[in-house]
Amino acid sequence: MTDWKKLIADVPDFPKPGIVFKDITPLLADGPGFRKVIDAFSVAFGDSGVTQLAAIESRGFIFGAALAHHLGVGLTLVRKPGKLPRPVYSETYALEYGTDTVQMHSDALTVRDRVIIVDDVLATGGTAAATARLVEQIGAELVGFAFLMELSFLNGRDKLPAGVPIHSLYPLG
Ligand code: AMP
């Protein structure tokens, strides 16, 4: 079987100069490779008592949905502003230029939920850190982060809450 890590394509200067975009579409197109990463996540978090996955728009939805199905737990969508139709909690975070916001339905989680945040790439950490604050606003317990890739040279994990396990299947650099 092909090593699933070889199924992630580096696309230089996309979407803008200087960024090496990690394209996961060849991995998604490979049935055994896609299954392997979901199996690896489920081994990492299978005994965490997780009840809900909070998946970040949009590629986090793909891994979150497959993993939620695999673990038999719920899926909560973390979306860009204006996409969720009912009342939301919002968190805004700084970008290199400007800010961005993530939202979650305010009734998406309860204080009894144990939550894992799921995304494809941990880069500067701003998105995942804002998502952690959303989980905190609702009062649910954050029990972990699951990333397919981590761009370690950007030190994104330093922005994430101390003491919460971070599982990156493919840490880079
Ligand atoms: P950040 O908030 O900087 O950690 O960025 C994380 C979000 O941006 C994730 O939802 C990723 O999908 C996306 N992202 C950041 N950098 C990359 C990259 N080099 N390739 C693909 N996606 C990226």
Side-chain angles (χ1 to χ4, degrees):
M1 195 183 93
T2 316
D3 178 356
W4 66 263
K5 293 175 182 166
K6 297 203 170 89
L7 297 167
I8 294 165
D10 279 357
V11 185
D13 299 320
F14 183 89
K16 51 186 181 186
I19 306 270
V20 179
F21 188 82
K22 300 291 178 183
D23 177 20
I24 58 161
T25 58
L27 170 64
L28 299 179
D30 185 284
F34 188 21
R35 174 177 275 176
K36 190 141 197 160
V37 301
I38 298 305
D39 286 348
F41 278 135
S42 68
V43 167
F45 288 112
D47 61 359
S48 60
V50 58
T51 61
Q52 283 284 329
L53 302 182
I56 299 175
E57 185 169 357
S58 57
R59 288 177 299 275
F61 292 174
I62 300 164
F63 296 101
L67 183 59
H69 176 78
H70 198 97
L71 296 175
V73 302
L75 182 71
T76 292
L77 304 186
V78 178
R79 300 213 65 179
K80 311 263 163 65
K83 302 280 189 185
L84 291 169
R86 294 185 298 102
V88 293
Y89 286 125
S90 298
E91 281 290 342
T92 296
Y93 56 99
L95 300 172
E96 198 180 351
Y97 304 104
T99 61
D100 221 336
T101 299
V102 284
Q103 298 185 326
M104 191 186 273
H105 273 141
S106 45
D107 62 358
L109 302 170
T110 75
V111 292
R112 288 177 302 284
D113 276 315
R114 292 170 60 79
V115 181
I116 291 170
I117 292 172
V118 182
D119 206 355
D120 64 334
V121 175
L122 175 65
T124 66
T127 319
T131 303
R133 294 197 297 276
L134 281 178
V135 172
E136 211 171 81
Q137 273 198 60
I138 295 183
E141 188 177 350
L142 182 61
V143 296
F145 292 90
F147 301 105
L148 186 71
M149 273 163 289
E150 175 175 354
L151 309 182
S152 308
F153 52 92
L154 294 174
N155 301 316
R157 60 172 55 222
D158 295 350
K159 288 208 184 85
L160 305 183
V164 179
I166 302 167
H167 198 84
S168 307
L169 293 185
Y170 187 7
L172 288 168

